[in-house]
Amino acid sequence: MGALDVAFVGTGNAFAPGGLCWNGFVVDDRYLFEAPPQALQSLNRMGIDANSLEAVILSHHHGDHFLGLPFLLLHWKYFGRTRPATIVGPPGTQELAVAIGRSVYPSLFDTAYDLRWVELADDESAQVGDLRLTARRVEHDARLSLNLGYQCELRGRRFAYTGDTGFCEAVVAMARASEVLIAECSSVDERVPIHLNLVDDIPRLRDAMAPEARLILTHLAPDVTAGNLRNTSVARDLERYRI
């Protein structure tokens, strides 16, 4: 099965605390989860070729998770991409991306490669390359079309990503089923219904996981640590983790 290679293009929340880049990560240099505004810059800094990405997987449509997509598409258009690419997200992803993309770069979608759009509802699945994704509805911004986490399987390894969410049964189920869980955690002890916090929520997620499973936290401020939580770490910008 082999190790999972997880590279964080950013780990901050919408307010970029302490100068952190906005949250997003790449698995095996092929699957980018979220498209934060600086995604292309971070990929370049980490030596990851944006043309090697097979898919971009979006959890929801807030700007810190979405607005880097036009720059990725721009790179693909002008820097020789010929392989097909897939954009996965909740309902309305294609419509929103095309509206924004054509507004800022009018010829963005006149491409030499095939661009596939996959929009998932709760409990729907998709196969992208050798990555199997199952969407899980999570609790975040009810004004958006849908907020998703993803249960994933890649080369026999089971991992999940919560997306932005408050504590809910979907994230507990993902924790129970995963060898690796990447969890959004927006504060230490502030209680915000649409976000997880470190003091109340993360220990409950950790307890739902197998003892040997790995929990990686993102979306936090730069001075936060995981304390004494078992097999838990706080991701840092531009760092790689082999798990």
Side-chain angles (χ1 to χ4, degrees), residues 33-115:
F33 284 76
E34 311 292 25
Q38 85 300 333
L40 181 59
Q41 178 193 46
S42 292
L43 290 169
N44 288 338
R45 291 179 66 187
M46 298 185 80
I48 299 172
D49 181 3
N51 283 346
S52 71
L53 297 176
E54 296 183 26
V56 179
I57 299 105
L58 304 165
S59 66
H60 64 294
H61 296 152
H62 279 163
D64 54 316
H65 295 253
F66 191 88
L67 290 179
L69 190 58
F71 300 105
L72 291 169
L73 294 166
L74 191 71
H75 179 97
W76 292 347
K77 177 178 173 64
Y78 288 106
F79 283 82
R81 185 178 188 107
T82 57
R83 300 170 54 205
T86 302
I87 311 295
V88 181
T93 294
Q94 181 177 2
E95 181 181 5
L96 179 61
V98 170
I100 294 172
R102 283 185 174 156
S103 295
V104 295
Y105 296 114
S107 65
L108 192 61
F109 295 94
D110 302 333
T111 66
Y113 65 91
D114 291 329
L115 184 60

Side-chain angles (χ1 to χ4, degrees), residues 25-234:
F25 61 93
V26 188
V27 177
D28 283 8
D29 286 1
R30 293 181 293 155
Y31 304 105
L32 174 63
F33 284 76
E34 311 292 25
Q38 85 300 333
L40 181 59
Q41 178 193 46
S42 292
L43 290 169
N44 288 338
R45 291 179 66 187
M46 298 185 80
I48 299 172
D49 181 3
N51 283 346
S52 71
L53 297 176
E54 296 183 26
V56 179
I57 299 105
L58 304 165
S59 66
H60 64 294
H61 296 152
H62 279 163
D64 54 316
H65 295 253
F66 191 88
L67 290 179
L69 190 58
F71 300 105
L72 291 169
L73 294 166
L74 191 71
H75 179 97
W76 292 347
K77 177 178 173 64
Y78 288 106
F79 283 82
R81 185 178 188 107
T82 57
R83 300 170 54 205
T86 302
I87 311 295
V88 181
T93 294
Q94 181 177 2
E95 181 181 5
L96 179 61
V98 170
I100 294 172
R102 283 185 174 156
S103 295
V104 295
Y105 296 114
S107 65
L108 192 61
F109 295 94
D110 302 333
T111 66
Y113 65 91
D114 291 329
L115 184 60
R116 175 190 178 211
W117 300 89
V118 177
E119 297 183 355
L120 297 177
D122 183 32
D123 208 34
E124 290 185 340
S125 297
Q127 187 78 33
V128 183
D130 54 0
L131 175 66
R132 182 71 174 174
L133 296 161
T134 300
R136 304 296 186 203
R137 179 183 179 274
V138 296
E139 302 296 332
H140 190 47
D141 189 341
R143 298 165 296 182
L144 300 179
S145 67
L146 194 61
N147 304 276
L148 297 176
Y150 291 98
Q151 190 76 54
C152 310
E153 185 169 342
L154 177 65
R155 296 182 284 99
R157 300 295 305 275
R158 293 175 290 107
F159 70 96
Y161 170 51
T162 66
D164 270 358
T165 182
F167 193 85
C168 60
E169 181 53 40
V171 297
V172 175
M174 285 189 277
R176 289 177 179 145
S178 298
E179 301 170 63
V180 181
L181 177 66
I182 298 171
E184 169 272 338
C185 179
S186 287
S187 68
V188 174
D189 55 6
E190 185 179 4
R191 293 180 174 89
V192 180
I194 62 171
H195 287 292
L196 301 172
N197 78 13
L198 184 62
V199 170
D200 302 304
D201 302 323
I202 296 304
R204 290 194 286 170
L205 279 188
R206 179 65 262 182
D207 288 345
M209 301 176 71
E212 68 277 8
R214 180 78 176 271
L215 176 59
I216 304 177
L217 307 179
T218 186
H219 222 249
L220 277 161
D223 58 345
V224 176
T225 69
N228 60 0
L229 286 172
R230 179 180 65 242
N231 284 354
T232 302
S233 56
V234 176

